[in-house]
Amino acid sequence: MLPFKLVYSDDYYLPIGAHVFPAEKYQRIHDRLLETGAAEAADFVTPEPASDQDVLLVHTPQYINKLKTGTLSAREELEMEIPYSPELVRAFWLAAGGSILAADYALQNRIGFNIGGGFHHAFPDHGEGFCMIHDVAVAIRRMQHDGKITRAMTVDCDVHQGNGTAVIFGGVRMPTGPLPSTSTSTVGLSKPSRARNVHASDVFTISLHQENNYPMWKPPSSIDVDLPDEIGDEDYLAWLDNALSSGLRQFEPELICYVAGADPYREDQLGGLSLTIEGLKRRDQLVFRVARARNIPVMVTFAGGYAQKVEDTVTIHCNTVIAAREILTA
Ligand SMILES: [Zn+2]
């Protein structure tokens, strides 16, 4: 039996039809963990959907109303890049409930997994990039609202920048004119990654991502590491180590929310970094090791993963669970 819980529901499946996002990955991760003996049935717990009150801690009443009544504009639906349906709304509310439960378990057991979630491109008033509502932000605000924590840190290792996270916790205003990042995307392999360090409030946000990738406009996180194309395991791990040390020198979180995207993988269809499956597992181990050394609980969500072979995405996500067990029981 694992020393932590895996929050999961078959209803995490996103009804989005044929899509680059492999909506079946959640069930396949669940099944693989059981088949390989990495987890047993008793390790899994089933979430309840988040309440509208929980979602309101992050999102505007107007946006929630549009989602509940099916009145998104065509442009808003296009921007979300997944087809709207009431069933999809239910799946996202459930994922947010899963992240709340996983955060609760993390505070009890030092680690808590949501075998889903990580929808870091959702903004308070709109969805983007396959993300309808921001489950991680909802979980953090709920933990704060319940008085269980005051300070949290997000560590976002998805290949795409956590733009929704940055705006929600940084209070950054959306640009109304031309997007400021559109002119800055000329990066060669030799260019060192750039780390910007902007602000910290009650939630410190770290994002390691490919610079030349969605989103075009990257609102400032507390620490952004803009990685060049094709960066490999060793360089990536060095930057992650750096970002974690720097972040934890400046800020003492009571909870780390690790967004463990599988898309920095070298064979990802939507990513341009070159991490191996083994490198991604070392990435996970590094996050868990650093958190454990400082006794900080970690809540994990899975975010993106678009490997040419869905099997690889499933392997990378399952390895995150195995890495957590290895570090916690070392
Ligand atoms: Zn991604």
Side-chain angles (χ1 to χ4, degrees), residues 4-7 101-103 105-107 109-114 298-301:
F4 47 81
K5 290 296 177 194
L6 309 172
V7 178
L101 187 57
Y105 274 115
L107 296 176
N109 303 332
R110 299 206 287 181
I111 289 182
F113 272 80
N114 188 5
V298 184
M299 183 269 264
V300 185
T301 54

Side-chain angles (χ1 to χ4, degrees), residues 120-121 158-161 261 263 270 303-306:
H120 59 160
H121 301 311
D158 190 275
V159 79
H160 304 102
Q161 196 236 11
D263 48 13
L270 300 185
Y306 316 93

